């Protein structure tokens, strides 16, 4: 995911300067608001869990996508990848837009609205440039939003660290996903 859209949300092992500036801005805002917390995701610990558990699935997700966990800033930022694991939305621009739509449905946040609009703008630009652009469906965003509305999920208060050892399917059922 090296497009503008992807780099606005996803982080790779070597983030682009634009992405790093954006992540630093998120951290500064979290610091100002008093919302910065210590790291939540410990990859070494998660890798030791049995396959199929929520924590191991999270670690495998990050490893398979060559991503590092967010370890700075707000709880919501650090747990972003867990939403991918719970919802099974991809890390491509459309998947990132679906995550933002899901989060908007679960609990409105201006930041999710802002990120969603940035992603849509990037998807539009990417599709205009591409010979074979990825299929984009407003219906998929609406479905993600509805899934968030129907979920028993609060992105500000959920505690995945208490759920690492549970089967991922059980965690999804817990949140009505």
């Amino acid at each position: 995911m090296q497009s503008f859209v992807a780099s606005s949300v996803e982080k790779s092992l070597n983030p682009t300067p634009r992405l790093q500036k954006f992540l630093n801005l998120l951290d500064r805002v979290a610091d100002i608001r008093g919302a910065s917390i210590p790291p939540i995701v410990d990859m070494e610990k998660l890798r030791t869990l049995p396959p199929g558990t929520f924590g191991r699935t999270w670690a495998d997700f990050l490893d398979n996508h060559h991503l590092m966990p967010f370890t700075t800033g707000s709880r919501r930022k650090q747990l972003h990848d867990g939403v991918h694991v719970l919802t099974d939305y991809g890390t491509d621009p459309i998947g990132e837009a679906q995550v933002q739509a899901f989060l908007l449905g679960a609990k409105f946040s201006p930041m999710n609205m802002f990120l969603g609009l940035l992603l849509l703008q990037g998807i539009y630009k990417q599709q205009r440039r591409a010979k074979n652009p990825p299929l984009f469906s407003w219906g998929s965003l609406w479905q993600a939003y509805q899934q968030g509305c129907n979920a028993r999920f609060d992105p500000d208060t959920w505690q995945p660290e208490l759920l690492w050892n549970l089967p991922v399917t059980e965690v999804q059922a817990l949140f009505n996903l």
Side-chain angles (χ1 to χ4, degrees), residues 64-108:
N64 292 338
H65 290 90
H66 308 289
L67 301 173
M68 298 294 294
F70 288 127
T71 57
T72 60
S74 71
R75 183 169 192 81
R76 220 179 221 229
K77 176 189 165 204
Q78 290 190 39
L79 301 180
H80 171 84
D81 296 313
V83 177
H84 283 281
V85 174
L86 289 174
T87 60
D88 202 30
Y89 296 134
T91 60
D92 63 319
I94 294 170
E96 291 292 350
Q98 289 172 310
V99 165
Q100 298 309 314
F102 170 82
L103 290 170
L104 282 170
K107 184 175 184 181
F108 181 82

Side-chain angles (χ1 to χ4, degrees), residues 35-146:
S36 288
I37 61 168
I40 298 169
V41 179
D42 178 347
M43 288 293 286
E44 295 311 311
K45 177 182 176 183
L46 298 184
R47 287 183 183 120
T48 66
L49 296 171
T53 60
F54 181 54
R56 176 65 176 274
T57 303
W58 191 321
D60 291 345
F61 170 85
L62 291 172
D63 288 341
N64 292 338
H65 290 90
H66 308 289
L67 301 173
M68 298 294 294
F70 288 127
T71 57
T72 60
S74 71
R75 183 169 192 81
R76 220 179 221 229
K77 176 189 165 204
Q78 290 190 39
L79 301 180
H80 171 84
D81 296 313
V83 177
H84 283 281
V85 174
L86 289 174
T87 60
D88 202 30
Y89 296 134
T91 60
D92 63 319
I94 294 170
E96 291 292 350
Q98 289 172 310
V99 165
Q100 298 309 314
F102 170 82
L103 290 170
L104 282 170
K107 184 175 184 181
F108 181 82
S109 164
M111 182 57 77
N112 293 117
M113 179 67 78
F114 174 72
L115 289 173
L117 291 173
L118 276 178
L119 287 161
L120 290 174
Q121 178 187 34
I123 291 167
Y124 174 74
K125 287 179 180 179
Q126 185 180 40
Q127 287 186 332
R128 287 184 52 206
R129 288 190 306 259
K131 293 181 183 176
N132 296 315
L135 281 176
F136 174 72
S137 159
W138 287 104
S140 71
L141 292 183
W142 179 250
Q143 186 176 17
Y145 174 78
Q146 289 298 310

